[in-house]
Amino acid sequence: MQVSLANCISPNFKDLHKHLKDDVNTEYWLRGGRGSTKSSFISIQLILGIIKDKEANTVVFRRFENEIRDSVFGQLKWAVNKLGVDHLFKFNVSPFKITYIPTGQVILFKGADNPQKIKSINLGTGYIKFAWFEEVDQFGGMEEIRNILQSIFRGTTKRQIAFYSYNPPKSSRSWANAESKISKPGRVVHYSDYRQVPPEWLGDTFLANALHLKDVNEDAYKHEYLGEETG
């Protein structure tokens, strides 16, 4: 079965998708409001990346382990089904793991509240090419992120890529807001919001709630739906 990527990736990420295909950068910061589909985009890229590179593995992080099931694990399952490759992947929940059946490559899920499990990651094959920090603003800061990456990004000369996704906190003094504004070689920062997403992807209820909030509380609308720093 052939699946059109145009039906999987919102137009607001078309250029970023092409950018990732060039494989020249090492980290991507995706800032956006509700409904921007940034998490959907990352999950699609991770599945495509594993299929493309037969040695690539992925580790996905949330700040707390108990947040994994209802967020990133479900999001990756959605991506596998959306791409029509669910017959090629196996899903385990104890521990949370997705295995690419043809090669044994894996997507592992970890909570930053259990550092010992991060240090003891063992792969059956290949190397860790991708790391994804979902809701990165909830982590303790860039030092915590660096410590995690130092544990998992090593032992290979191949390019390794980190994704950071989050809805910007109100305050510009938030560490995540401040960090994403720092220029760094290999860093790409992408801004998105629901207005660039096909309306039928979001549904009438989502759009009606967004417009209602805009009418009654424009500051809250700008922060929640446009991802603006309003503090």
Side-chain angles (χ1 to χ4, degrees):
M1 180 179 69
Q2 290 187 341
V3 176
S4 171
L5 283 180
N7 295 324
C8 303
I9 298 173
S10 178
N12 53 334
F13 290 101
K14 183 178 179 181
D15 290 341
L16 192 60
H17 171 69
K18 293 179 180 178
H19 200 282
L20 276 158
K21 287 180 67 176
D22 294 336
D23 198 25
V24 294
N25 293 290
T26 55
E27 60 179 75
Y28 292 85
W29 289 73
L30 276 64
R31 300 168 46 120
R34 292 178 183 171
S36 65
T37 71
K38 55 189 179 297
S39 297
S40 298
F41 171 76
I42 293 174
S43 64
I44 291 287
Q45 295 302 315
L46 294 179
I47 298 301
L48 293 175
I50 280 184
I51 294 174
K52 178 181 178 181
D53 183 344
K54 302 307 180 185
E55 294 185 337
N57 296 278
T58 296
V59 186
V60 181
F61 295 96
R62 285 298 308 261
R63 180 67 182 87
F64 300 105
E65 191 169 1
N66 62 9
E67 298 170 328
I68 290 172
R69 178 190 289 271
D70 297 327
S71 59
V72 285
F73 187 71
Q75 184 65 64
L76 266 297
K77 289 185 72 174
W78 170 87
V80 167
N81 290 325
K82 190 71 174 178
L83 289 169
V85 292
D86 49 297
H87 60 292
L88 298 177
F89 287 85
K90 178 183 177 182
F91 299 87
N92 295 91
V93 296
S94 185
F96 289 106
K97 180 172 72 171
I98 300 174
T99 305
Y100 183 50
I101 297 171
T103 60
Q105 295 162 261
V106 294
I107 301 173
L108 304 176
F109 299 83
K110 302 292 181 182
D113 54 336
N114 197 333
Q116 197 58 43
K117 287 188 177 181
I118 296 173
K119 293 179 180 179
S120 61
I121 290 177
N122 293 311
L123 302 172
T125 183
Y127 69 107
I128 297 174
K129 181 170 184 175
F130 303 107
W132 176 19
F133 296 86
E134 169 71 317
E135 304 291 359
V136 70
D137 58 302
Q138 297 177 0
F139 287 72
M142 205 59 206
E143 182 178 357
E144 180 179 28
I145 301 294
R146 285 196 302 270
N147 288 338
I148 293 173
L149 291 178
Q150 286 163 7
S151 296
I152 67 171
F153 276 5
R154 59 186 180 184
T156 182
T157 58
K158 296 185 177 183
R159 187 178 305 280
Q160 296 173 288
I161 299 171
F163 290 97
Y164 307 93
S165 56
Y166 73 112
N167 292 25
K170 290 182 179 181
S171 174
S172 60
R173 291 179 291 182
S174 158
W175 78 264
N177 286 339
E179 181 66 31
S180 69
K181 297 170 187 173
I182 298 174
S183 179
K184 177 185 174 183
R187 173 178 289 179
V188 175
V189 181
H190 183 273
Y191 299 81
S192 60
D193 66 65
Y194 79 98
R195 296 173 299 178
Q196 297 96 40
V197 177
E200 62 272 17
W201 289 21
L202 299 172
D204 292 341
T205 300
F206 178 96
L207 296 173
N209 287 337
L211 293 177
H212 172 73
L213 188 60
K214 182 180 181 181
D215 289 339
V216 301
N217 189 336
E218 189 168 8
D219 280 348
Y221 165 78
K222 288 180 177 179
H223 172 239
E224 296 176 21
Y225 286 93
L226 305 187
E228 295 183 9
E229 300 167 25
T230 58

